[in-house]
Amino acid sequence: MRIEAFTKTYDGRKVLDFSGKELEAGTIYAVIGANGSGKSTFAKCLAGIVSVDKNKKIFNEKYSVGYMPQKSYPFAMSVEKNIALEGDDKVRAGKLMKELQISHLAKKKANRLSGGETARMALARVLMNQFDVMILDEPTAGLDPKGKRDIMELVLSLKKTTKTVIMISHNMDEVAKYCNKIALLSNGELVGVYTPSELFADDRIEEYGLKLPSTVALARKLKSAGLIENDCVFNEEEIVAQIVKG
């Protein structure tokens, strides 16, 4: 699978100039970048929501693409009916609502949900079908810590049924912990694609207006104090294990 090179221009200004990239199957990609770097526009182009310059094709072959937008606008009907719009499998709809902990909201009008509840419903709706490529634009925005973990665990499970997951995010902790590869955008161009260990091994992301994951920042302080040896860690458990090991 390959994303072909393409550009996107708005009002005479080129906002994306993507050089193309081969994608690895069974991989969760994060797309990161400072505000205005083109992340959400990139997601919309991949999903076919907006056309690219010269109407070029995005992928090298025809793939089914699922898309969860950054902001969802539900219909004024129940949550379960909003989810069922994407398919008539009531068993699957019920399973997804249970996994996303919104079963108790099944009969509630979707336009009366909180931001976090709407995000859960929107993810359930897009997951009603299986896609070759799943594009998620900040799927955990507006959720509490537990909600973020629940969503990301579900995103991890997508690797079993989806060739590739592409997630737009500004949360470096989630990116480092859950994503296999990280694509860095700057001014609409692809800087590079890295593993978490490659990207967060030094301060390069700070040059692009981004912060290190909180676990890496903490680990660096602990390493400076002589308490641990490895400062490129992405979860608290590994930090604790290093301290205990001494």
Side-chain angles (χ1 to χ4, degrees), residues 205-225:
I205 68 164
E206 295 182 349
E207 300 174 10
Y208 296 95
L210 300 170
K211 294 182 179 180
L212 288 167
S214 60
T215 51
V216 174
L218 174 60
R220 287 188 178 184
K221 293 179 181 178
L222 294 173
K223 183 177 180 180
S224 296

Side-chain angles (χ1 to χ4, degrees), residues 13-231:
R13 184 174 70 89
K14 188 179 290 185
V15 296
L16 278 177
D17 189 356
F18 189 74
S19 55
K21 183 65 183 177
E22 294 284 344
L23 299 179
E24 299 175 15
T27 300
I28 298 179
Y29 288 87
V31 179
I32 66 172
N35 291 336
S37 61
K39 300 187 299 296
S40 288
T41 301
F42 179 70
K44 291 175 183 176
C45 289
L46 296 188
I49 304 301
V50 299
S51 60
V52 301
D53 296 344
K54 300 180 181 179
N55 289 317
K56 292 187 66 175
K57 66 177 184 179
I58 296 295
F59 294 98
N60 61 323
E61 297 181 20
K62 189 172 183 178
Y63 297 104
S64 59
V65 180
Y67 173 62
M68 177 183 169
Q70 186 174 356
K71 187 171 179 58
S72 178
Y73 297 93
F75 294 100
M77 57 179 70
S78 70
V79 168
E80 61 182 357
K81 287 183 178 179
N82 266 272
I83 294 172
L85 286 173
E86 298 298 326
D88 57 4
D89 188 343
K90 293 183 179 180
V91 174
R92 179 162 178 76
K95 182 175 182 290
L96 287 169
M97 285 191 288
K98 183 177 181 181
E99 289 179 347
L100 290 163
Q101 299 182 23
I102 55 173
S103 297
H104 63 292
L105 301 172
K107 303 299 182 182
K108 187 174 181 177
K109 288 292 181 83
N111 58 338
R112 296 179 181 174
L113 299 178
S114 68
E117 291 168 344
T118 299
R120 290 170 186 259
M121 184 197 70
L123 183 57
R125 187 161 61 188
V126 75
L127 292 179
M128 281 295 290
N129 295 301
Q130 293 186 358
F131 298 97
D132 295 322
V133 183
M134 187 73 76
I135 300 168
L136 310 173
D137 195 349
E138 299 198 23
T140 65
L143 296 176
D144 60 25
K146 184 180 184 305
K148 291 177 187 291
R149 288 194 299 272
D150 292 342
I151 293 289
M152 290 311 303
E153 290 298 328
L154 191 56
V155 170
L156 278 180
S157 72
L158 292 178
K159 293 199 292 185
K160 300 175 183 176
T161 57
T162 304
K163 286 186 173 69
T164 303
V165 178
I166 299 173
M167 183 181 79
I168 311 300
S169 182
H170 66 275
N171 187 320
M172 295 302 106
D173 291 314
E174 290 178 358
V175 166
K177 186 174 182 179
Y178 294 102
C179 297
N180 308 113
K181 294 290 183 70
I182 305 167
L184 174 61
L185 291 184
S186 179
N187 297 318
E189 296 184 3
L190 178 66
V191 176
V193 179
Y194 313 90
T195 65
S197 295
E198 290 170 341
L199 184 61
F200 301 125
D202 53 39
D203 298 328
R204 81 180 73 183
I205 68 164
E206 295 182 349
E207 300 174 10
Y208 296 95
L210 300 170
K211 294 182 179 180
L212 288 167
S214 60
T215 51
V216 174
L218 174 60
R220 287 188 178 184
K221 293 179 181 178
L222 294 173
K223 183 177 180 180
S224 296
L227 297 174
I228 63 174
E229 294 182 0
N230 178 20
D231 61 0

